[in-house]
Amino acid sequence: GAVVSQHPSWVICKSGTSVKIECRSLDFQATTMFWYRQFPKQSLMLMATSNEGSKATYEQGVEKDKFLINHASLTLSTLTVTSAHPEDSSFYICSAKTLANNSFGPGTRLTVT
Amino acid sequence: DAKTTQPPSMDCAEGRAANLPCNHSTISGNEYVYWYRQIHSQGPQYIIHGLKNNETNEMASLIITEDRKSSTLILPHATLRDTAVYYCIATYGGSQGNLIFGKGTKLSVKP
């Protein structure tokens, strides 16, 4: 149980375009989801907390207008990277809060060319 | 959340026990100790958590010192598939708050 999926698993886009990443809780409802970013050989960095039906809470230094988060249902949160640049290339991971612990998705590898 | 300190890397022979230490000397009374691991290019996987008492599940055992200032994750019979980065996190929960990841310990299990 408590399975989280992400789509796509990897994406390549051109600089200046926008990319949407989906995070779904498959067998449970998640009122709270989290988005992380991970650069090579580094740890996960929390970007934002996504609450169903309300605005996301962003960590310091994360641009809310660049990383748009929508949590419109109890099983789906989306992260849109707007006007992507090569420095946005990273591994994006979502997690969903469960009763016992946080379940993580498999991650999305974004490469901006 | 309390800061945790872990060694950057450890080696373990396949089939032997892997003991991963974590210091959390500033942990508060209602903060839990959580362990997650991340295999290369995958999302983190929950392993175990505890508050005061030692805990055991099908994956690992968690030993927490009486003063709660440190803990040890034990993988009783490490396999090559246990090679991963292991993260120790002190946070409020049961229904945890945000998980803030440190640098973790890179465990390499060798044949």
Side-chain angles (χ1 to χ4, degrees):
Chain A
V3 178
V4 175
S5 70
Q6 284 184 238
H7 178 81
S9 55
W10 60 270
V11 57
I12 302 173
C13 72
K14 291 186 183 296
S15 186
T17 62
S18 295
V19 175
K20 180 184 286 188
I21 302 170
E22 294 183 348
C23 176
R24 292 182 185 273
S25 56
L26 297 185
D27 51 0
F28 67 103
Q29 294 183 330
T31 56
T32 303
M33 291 184 173
F34 305 94
W35 286 96
Y36 293 83
R37 179 168 54 180
Q38 185 175 33
F39 293 110
K41 298 189 184 301
Q42 295 187 22
S43 186
L44 288 79
M45 185 193 80
L46 179 65
M47 299 175 68
T49 301
S50 167
N51 293 298
E52 187 266 337
S54 64
K55 290 183 178 180
T57 303
Y58 290 81
E59 296 298 303
Q60 190 173 7
V62 178
E63 299 175 60
K64 63 179 182 180
D65 295 329
K66 181 171 180 61
F67 298 99
L68 301 179
I69 293 172
N70 184 279
H71 194 160
S73 79
L74 288 171
T75 59
L76 174 64
S77 176
T78 60
L79 169 68
T80 301
V81 182
T82 63
S83 187
H85 292 287
E87 56 265 32
D88 297 323
S89 298
S90 189
F91 192 50
Y92 291 86
I93 306 168
C94 72
S95 74
K97 183 186 286 190
T98 71
L99 289 177
N101 54 69
N102 285 7
S103 288
F104 285 81
T108 296
R109 177 78 57 192
L110 170 64
T111 302
V112 185
T113 62
Chain B
D1 294 350
K3 178 179 166 58
T4 61
T5 304
Q6 299 177 251
S9 64
M10 293 182 64
D11 289 343
C12 177
E14 188 178 19
R16 304 298 293 268
N19 298 290
L20 292 91
C22 179
N23 284 322
H24 31 80
S25 58
T26 62
I27 195 170
S28 64
N30 53 354
E31 282 187 294
Y32 287 73
V33 178
Y34 280 82
W35 284 84
Y36 283 78
R37 73 180 182 183
Q38 185 180 27
I39 296 170
H40 184 61
S41 293
Q42 297 183 24
Q45 176 190 22
Y46 166 80
I47 300 173
I48 199 167
H49 74 282
L51 182 63
K52 294 180 181 178
N53 299 322
N54 298 336
E55 302 288 345
T56 296
N57 63 20
E58 64 278 4
M59 290 184 68
S61 294
L62 174 61
I63 308 299
I64 302 174
T65 58
E66 193 168 341
D67 63 8
R68 301 188 70 240
K69 293 186 177 182
S70 65
S71 61
T72 301
L73 178 74
I74 301 172
L75 307 179
H77 305 286
T79 70
L80 299 179
R81 287 176 294 182
D82 292 321
T83 292
V85 179
Y86 287 76
Y87 297 98
C88 167
I89 302 170
T91 186
Y92 299 97
S95 58
Q96 314 164 28
N98 303 346
L99 289 177
I100 305 300
F101 287 79
K103 296 182 180 181
T105 296
K106 174 72 165 75
L107 175 67
S108 298
V109 181
K110 300 182 184 298

